[in-house]
Amino acid sequence: MENDSALVKFPARSEVPATATIDATRYDGLYLIDGEVRRWDGARDEVRSPVCYRAEDGSLERALVGHTAKLDEATARLCLDAAVRAWNHGRGEWPSARVADRLAAIAKFTDKMREQREDVVRLLQWEIAKTRKDAESEFDRTVQYIVDTIEAVKELDRTSSRFHLAEGFIGQIRRSPLGVVLCMGPFNYPLNETYTTLIPALIMGNPVISKLPRFGAMAHMPLLAAMAECFPRGAVNVVQGDGATVVGPMMTSGAVDVLAFIGTSRVANILTKQHPKPNRLRTVTGLEAKNPAVILPDADLDAAVRECVSGALSFNGQRCTAIKLIFAHRSVADAFVAKLSAAVDALKAGMPWEPGVALTPLPEPNKAATLSALVADAVAKGARVVNHGDRASETFYRPAVVYPVIPSMRLYHEEQFGPVVPVAVYDDEHEIDAFMRESNYGQQIALFGRDRARIAFLVDALVNQVSRINLNSQCRRGPDSFPFTGRKDSAEGTLSVTDALRQFSIRSVVACQANAENKELVQDIVASRSSAFLSTDFIL
Ligand code: G3H
């Protein structure tokens, strides 16, 4: 890896525009337990930005954003106790509340959340160097997800308000909460991926503990006061700190009923194994992926390049859905790679607040060195960096296009989760099928081409190996009404606006024989509106 201080212009502190700055000291050390926003007096973690300040002598230092609480084990237990009390065997205020009351609380929270947009967007820019445009999009998409979730719950409630008659039985079937949910989101979408599990879990009546990711935790702080105001004590708890100290005791207690975890399969396995009663633990995970793109011989190369650049390098490739390996057919491989390299080299690098910027610094420590080691492994085995990439300046890494990548190279199998674009050559579609069969992952694939027969063959060969096939477009999660999941080590459970409601609930039924006495019993309960479950009330 080449070190090049002219690669990206890190600003002097005085050069940061006022429209991008934020004084985050008011958010230092905050956490939320048992309905109270508290400030932690104990040890704290420094939050250092991937954005560096350039000193007069040219030296670079990661900007200090603020401090997050490094909670201790005793506080983690207090948090768990608060959530367990809020659950109270399903009799707590939140799990037993009527759906209309829960929706009203979530709607109120959403209004208050909107008021915090600017602070959250600025913190996302500083904490993880997400561009202004992407940070705004993450916030707005999250708000829209909540709005859509509220509508989906209303629809579910309308369906559940009916009684079913079958084989001489009357039954009312509703989805009920599962218990204490521990949500852990990732650093790349710290708000969106946390809320796409936290909100459905909460709205279905489960008390939630949100353990924030190491990078992207501060962006949650502006929302804690609204959570405390809108939800009953213990219904939502937000904590940070070292995973082993905070999450370990929660899992080993056996009191966590659902683990919603977006991150690596390695950590997911550690956490689930800590639970003493594995049969009681439901897990919803989003893990690694190695999504390929396939460039068929008749693909529109310019269009494929546009989609592959965006698919591989949006947010510097730090997306689980990113394209992480491209298979180009031998007949077009050289032409495709030439266009791809030029397009990657044309991407503008800079600070998150600069207009038109596509590449920004990376939050993970030593990430440039990690990526460069993957590239070096490929180069040692015969590949080349064919663009002006694999150059770093402190936290910034210029994307490398690596070609041709072959199975003995780490880049062929390992998830790089960063700005490296490996390209392999293939001759026959069966090689793509074989790659997916042997891969540990099975999230998505993107196919570029026009040949009906080849595409039909690949769709049928691959549809039972991945969870989404994208035709002439990059891999992605959205629209959020579409199922988002994966096979093998890529995911467990399915998320979408409607699927997530199912993941965080279980169907319960009240049933009786349809005789006159039972009908009268049920009708009396419904008419007196004395039960939240046995009820024909619904929300329009
Ligand atoms: O990192 C995984 C994200 O859920 C991907 O979402 O495809 O919309 O960027 P996206």
Side-chain angles (χ1 to χ4, degrees):
M1 173 176 58
E2 199 182 311
N3 248 309
D4 183 351
S5 56
L7 205 52
V8 70
K9 190 169 179 293
F10 285 111
R13 187 187 288 262
S14 60
E15 287 170 346
V16 178
T19 48
T21 57
I22 182 161
D23 175 5
T25 48
R26 65 186 174 285
Y27 299 129
D28 269 1
L30 297 186
Y31 64 107
L32 170 66
I33 289 184
D34 207 14
E36 281 174 24
V37 180
R38 304 177 188 178
R39 200 179 290 276
W40 180 244
D41 288 334
R44 293 179 181 184
D45 282 315
E46 272 191 349
V47 178
R48 290 275 171 185
S49 176
V51 171
C52 299
Y53 286 138
R54 181 171 37 80
E56 271 182 22
D57 63 1
S59 62
L60 297 170
E61 188 187 15
R62 293 179 72 147
L64 181 65
V65 184
H67 297 83
T68 50
K70 194 172 183 176
L71 299 177
D72 60 12
E73 193 173 322
T75 309
R77 287 186 197 282
L78 286 178
C79 173
L80 181 65
D81 291 348
V84 169
R85 273 198 305 279
W87 173 241
N88 188 21
H89 306 281
R91 298 296 295 139
E93 182 183 344
W94 185 251
S96 57
R98 287 181 186 264
V99 174
D101 294 334
R102 277 195 230 129
L103 293 190
I106 299 268
K108 182 176 167 191
F109 170 73
T110 315
D111 287 341
K112 295 192 168 293
M113 179 178 173
R114 286 190 181 99
E115 294 167 13
Q116 302 301 322
R117 182 179 188 267
E118 186 59 30
D119 272 14
V120 174
V121 165
R122 289 195 192 189
L123 284 166
L124 288 174
Q125 290 176 85
W126 281 97
E127 282 189 281
I128 56 169
K130 192 159 265 198
T131 63
R132 169 96 206 173
K133 187 164 158 276
D134 285 352
E136 287 178 340
S137 148
E138 177 166 352
F139 187 91
D140 296 341
R141 174 182 178 181
T142 305
V143 168
Q144 190 57 46
Y145 193 95
I146 304 176
V147 170
D148 292 346
T149 299
I150 290 173
E151 288 308 310
V153 172
K154 287 183 187 172
E155 174 64 32
L156 193 61
D157 194 53
R158 284 194 285 271
T159 314
S160 314
S161 66
R162 291 189 4 242
F163 279 83
H164 298 260
L165 280 173
E167 297 175 34
F169 281 83
I170 304 173
Q172 185 162 32
I173 305 165
R174 287 185 184 277
R175 298 207 75 96
S176 307
L178 292 160
V180 173
V181 178
L182 173 61
C183 290
M184 297 176 68
F187 84 80
N188 61 334
Y189 284 88
L191 184 74
N192 184 262
E193 295 239 37
T194 301
Y195 274 42
T196 54
T197 56
L198 185 154
I199 294 292
L202 188 62
I203 214 165
M204 294 310 285
N206 305 281
V208 176
I209 298 168
S210 172
K211 156 69 173 71
L212 299 177
R214 176 87 199 271
F215 315 109
M218 293 291 281
H220 285 264
M221 300 298 118
L223 305 172
L224 297 191
M227 284 180 163
E229 190 183 329
C230 298
F231 303 113
R233 293 178 82 96
V236 192
N237 308 275
V238 181
V239 294
Q240 313 107 66
D242 181 47
T245 309
V246 174
V247 178
M250 292 186 188
M251 291 305 291
T252 53
S253 74
V256 171
D257 299 293
V258 185
L259 172 69
F261 176 81
I262 317 291
T264 65
S265 52
R266 187 186 66 80
V267 175
N269 290 340
I270 293 172
L271 295 178
T272 50
K273 282 189 188 129
Q274 286 175 335
H275 199 288
K277 295 178 177 166
N279 295 330
R280 289 196 194 178
L281 180 71
R282 184 183 282 205
T283 49
V284 181
T285 61
L287 308 170
E288 301 99 294
K290 186 79 179 173
N291 294 343
V294 182
I295 314 299
L296 294 165
D298 64 347
D300 174 339
L301 293 190
D302 293 313
V305 163
R306 272 196 303 279
E307 284 294 309
C308 285
V309 169
S310 170
L313 294 174
S314 292
F315 191 40
N316 310 300
Q318 301 164 123
R319 295 160 58 230
C320 61
T321 49
I323 290 173
K324 296 187 179 121
L325 177 62
I326 302 176
F327 286 96
H329 190 266
R330 191 174 299 281
S331 61
V332 293
D334 286 347
F336 173 79
V337 167
K339 285 174 186 280
L340 178 73
S341 299
V344 170
D345 283 344
L347 292 173
K348 180 178 170 186
M351 297 304 113
W353 54 83
E354 292 173 30
V357 74
L359 304 169
T360 56
L362 310 173
E364 291 179 280
N366 305 318
K367 185 73 184 189
T370 307
L371 294 172
S372 202
L374 284 171
V375 173
D377 168 75
V379 169
K381 293 168 184 161
R384 283 186 309 122
V385 177
V386 290
N387 70 327
H388 293 102
D390 193 38
R391 290 179 297 148
S393 171
E394 200 69 28
T395 50
F396 181 80
Y397 180 86
R398 186 85 213 174
V401 178
V402 185
Y403 173 71
V405 166
I406 54 173
S408 59
M409 298 171 185
R410 290 175 59 199
L411 271 177
Y412 193 89
H413 311 277
E414 290 181 29
E415 182 188 51
Q416 61 271 42
F417 210 79
V420 172
V421 191
V423 184
V425 178
Y426 81 95
D427 293 292
D428 184 292
E429 280 84 46
H430 290 94
E431 292 170 56
I432 312 300
D433 183 28
F435 169 82
M436 282 314 321
R437 284 176 195 217
E438 282 156 31
S439 176
N440 286 328
Y441 309 114
Q443 192 199 64
Q444 299 192 21
I445 191 165
L447 306 176
F448 294 90
R450 301 178 176 100
D451 184 319
R452 273 69 180 153
R454 281 177 201 264
I455 290 177
F457 167 79
L458 281 169
V459 165
D460 287 356
L462 297 166
V463 77
N464 291 344
Q465 300 197 61
V466 296
S467 294
R468 175 166 166 161
I469 298 175
N470 303 276
L471 302 182
N472 292 309
S473 73
Q474 60 169 293
C475 305
R476 51 161 64 84
R477 175 175 179 152
D480 286 326
S481 55
F482 282 11
F484 176 54
T485 182
R487 296 166 184 268
K488 297 193 249 184
D489 290 341
S490 284
E492 202 176 332
T494 302
L495 294 173
S496 75
V497 169
T498 49
D499 286 298
L501 299 177
R502 295 190 195 110
Q503 295 293 333
F504 294 105
S505 61
I506 188 166
R507 290 197 301 168
S508 299
V509 57
V510 175
C512 59
Q513 285 186 336
N515 58 37
E517 198 179 334
N518 282 338
K519 282 183 186 169
E520 202 180 326
L521 171 71
V522 170
Q523 271 166 347
D524 285 349
I525 292 174
V526 169
S528 65
R529 305 183 72 220
S530 48
S531 166
F533 190 100
L534 271 181
S535 162
T536 52
D537 287 355
F538 59 87
I539 312 154
L540 284 174

